[in-house]
Amino acid sequence: MGNAKPHPTWAEDNKAGEYAALAAEIEAIRRSLTNLETSSLITTSGVLPAQRESARNLLHYIALRRHDLRALQTRLSQLGLSSLGRAEAHVLPNIDAVLTVLDQLCGVERPNLKADVATPDFMSGPKLLRQHTKMLLGKRSQERQVSIMVTMPSEAAGNYSLIRDLLARGMDCIRINCAHDDAAAWQAMIQHLRQAEREVGRPCRVLMDLAGPKLRTGPVEPGPAVVHIRPKRDAYGRVVAPAKVWLFDETSGLAPPAEADASLPVAPNWLKRLSSGDHIRFVDTADRDRHLEVVKTDKHAAWAQSVNSAFVTPGTILQHLPAHGSSPRPHETEVGDIPRLDGYLLLQCGDKLLLTPTLQPGVPAKLGKTGQVRYPAKIGCTLPEVFEDVRVGDAIWLDDGKIGGVVEQKDVAGLTVRILHARPGGEKLRGDKGINLPDSLSRLPAMTERDRADLRFVVEHADLVALSFASSPQDVAGLIKEIGRIGKRRPGIVLKIETRRGFENLPGMLLEAMRTPACGVMIARGDLAVECGYQRLAEVQEEILWVCEAAHVPVIWATQVLENLAKDGIPSRAEISDAALGNRAECVMLNKGAHILKAVETLDDILCRMQNHQDKKRSMMRGLKLAKDFHSDS
């Protein structure tokens, strides 16, 4: 009796039943993983042998995320087991590890769970991501594991020191946007980089970004030719600084300096008479008597200042009033040609806008005598062929999401859009602004004829080529085919995810990209936010990170990273937090700006700090000084 085993209690039976139920649930999930892998036939789809483990793991992850695992995760966590929340890089081994423990708790033996083909395990999954990142972005430094990419401004073609200083401060990859400049400028930038590599002693990759089929608004009828002279005033309307007016020789072809608040072309002989302290009298368009005081002169220009606001048009008479002496009749000149102001359409909620299939200059709405709208505002677009794929009821966003609406009518005249989103008082729509049609299944290919022409230069000179507006596996296949047609050199490919369709087709595009040795993904968060909705962007960028980690594909975190710092020299608190989140990607991209060197230094510091605390979704529990300094009696 004393040696007999005690009978299991009710509680123990209940626990065993829970273990068995969990095991059965997870086993069913495991079958869905292997079923999707088998049905996808990835071993014959052209995926490179070196990419097949990653392709299988991607399919396992897609199958896993078809299930709502939240209740299951809670039950597993309560038992102290893995909740599968960090399984991205090694899905099947994570499932099998949980099953093995549950079987032990249940006291049963399961047939060998080992997969028939190789799948990444807890060690090899992250290792594959590191290997693929090295192939695409180059070897990472010991100090910082996340690479820094910087978009080159046009001035970099003639400014070697800028590229050298960026490289010295931590830049790992330059981005050249093929939508700007030309082959000569691109060649100069790359030559500067190669020279800087030798001087600084560290390598740097070159990514060239194909322009793609950017859908933009057409031109707008120009505004009037008028210059507004406007002094700076405080909140009470008092002048705190006079307006700086640059008077220049109209025959000289000089460009106005950046510090000029207004510039006026005048006759050279009249300009020569001006001296410091003189006054210039004129009547502005509002029939107001106005004066300028001359403060400085040189051979082809003069500086004057005004404490009054004024509007000046071509032909305005300027009278020279010398500070010393007088003449029977003041010397006069007429203001020369003034460029017309950029035109715009002011759109408010409730307005209609006609988007036309031509590039005729857009015009504001035409009103009747009683103020009613007779004809709505209209503007053209650069790719009218997209109209074929637009349906009534589809959403449309303009100018990076500043203006939104819905298509109410579609006919030979174009698309009639009802404006539903604009700031109070209206939003100005100008030419060459982006158009997004997130509900429309556009059949436009990602590569244009211009892209094909640019690709010849890219294949010869770049390490990486970025495919803009990648939206389908066919887009990726087209890029790979075109690269193969051009020559033997094979740059790594980067898929820019910037449309809703591209996001939805990401797994298929990744499998297609795995036909190449080196591929990556750029989260182009500007257009993506417009396409998916700003409220959903945080969720979408997380999903992209997860799916790419499952595919062991490196990610570039892009768009508006430290933008205020790069442009104005002062970061916002929000963008510092955003840059820290970029540590979960393999590369972070900065755009150009006057303070880009400072932005690179700041980003380098943030990424170096964050890698001690975060690795993908996993918090790294380094010893905290905060904890060490705490005393219970303090």
Side-chain angles (χ1 to χ4, degrees), residues 179-428:
H180 303 293
D181 307 310
D182 55 22
W186 305 335
Q187 181 74 66
M189 293 176 192
I190 295 171
Q191 287 174 345
H192 288 332
L193 176 66
R194 299 311 178 207
Q195 181 184 345
E197 286 177 318
R198 293 189 293 271
E199 181 178 342
V200 176
R202 54 189 305 267
C204 185
R205 293 287 168 105
V206 175
L207 176 141
M208 295 193 69
D209 196 329
L210 299 177
K214 183 67 173 176
L215 180 61
R216 291 186 172 274
T217 56
V220 178
E221 192 174 87
V226 61
V227 169
H228 185 189
I229 299 173
R230 180 166 40 194
K232 293 179 176 61
R233 300 179 185 273
D234 63 16
Y236 298 98
R238 298 172 300 205
V239 174
V240 294
K244 298 175 183 177
V245 182
W246 194 61
L247 302 154
F248 67 99
D249 179 349
E250 62 186 357
T251 66
S252 66
L254 293 174
E259 61 268 29
D261 297 315
S263 56
L264 301 176
V266 295
N269 291 335
W270 182 86
L271 185 66
K272 291 177 183 177
R273 297 176 178 273
L274 300 182
S275 298
S276 180
D278 290 354
H279 283 258
I280 299 167
R281 179 184 177 276
F282 63 96
V283 177
D284 81 343
T285 58
D287 203 28
R288 297 175 298 189
D289 197 27
R290 291 291 185 251
H291 288 78
L292 302 176
E293 180 185 357
V294 180
V295 294
K296 184 180 178 181
T297 63
D298 59 33
K299 186 176 181 182
H300 295 290
W303 283 98
Q305 61 184 25
S306 173
V307 295
N308 296 117
S309 177
F311 293 86
V312 181
T313 56
T316 298
I317 303 295
L318 303 181
Q319 293 183 337
H320 174 210
L321 305 175
H324 305 288
S326 61
S327 59
R329 182 181 177 188
H331 293 284
E332 297 180 346
T333 190
E334 291 185 0
V335 174
D337 290 336
I338 293 173
R340 297 181 69 176
L341 298 175
D342 288 340
Y344 62 85
L345 309 179
L346 183 64
L347 299 174
Q348 304 189 60
C349 288
D351 287 351
K352 285 187 177 182
L353 172 69
L354 178 62
L355 194 64
T356 70
T358 72
L359 288 177
Q360 291 183 343
V363 293
K366 288 185 170 55
L367 305 180
K369 293 182 180 178
T370 58
Q372 79 279 14
V373 176
R374 294 187 60 193
Y375 302 103
K378 66 179 182 180
I379 194 169
C381 79
T382 55
L383 296 171
E385 52 266 43
V386 300
F387 287 10
E388 298 177 14
D389 303 313
V390 178
R391 301 158 300 180
V392 171
D394 281 359
I396 182 169
W397 292 92
L398 305 161
D399 193 6
D400 293 332
K402 293 185 178 71
I403 303 168
V406 63
V407 177
E408 284 193 341
Q409 185 177 332
K410 175 181 173 181
D411 53 31
V412 293
L415 305 176
T416 301
V417 177
R418 175 73 67 180
I419 303 301
L420 302 177
H421 175 88
R423 74 172 69 187
E427 193 76 54
K428 294 177 181 178

Side-chain angles (χ1 to χ4, degrees), residues 484-542:
R485 187 186 65 80
I486 289 172
K488 294 181 179 179
R489 199 167 179 274
R490 298 287 189 274
I493 64 173
V494 174
L495 311 179
K496 289 181 66 180
I497 307 303
E498 48 195 323
T499 66
R500 182 191 296 178
R501 187 166 168 235
F503 167 67
E504 292 167 351
N505 289 333
L506 178 58
M509 290 196 294
L510 288 174
L511 288 171
E512 191 66 39
M514 287 176 178
R515 293 169 53 197
T516 66
C519 62
V521 162
M522 178 184 290
I523 310 179
R525 299 182 299 163
D527 279 293
L528 191 60
V530 176
E531 289 266 332
C532 297
Y534 286 94
Q535 304 92 326
R536 201 181 165 214
L537 177 62
E539 166 184 27
V540 166
Q541 64 191 21
E542 286 295 306

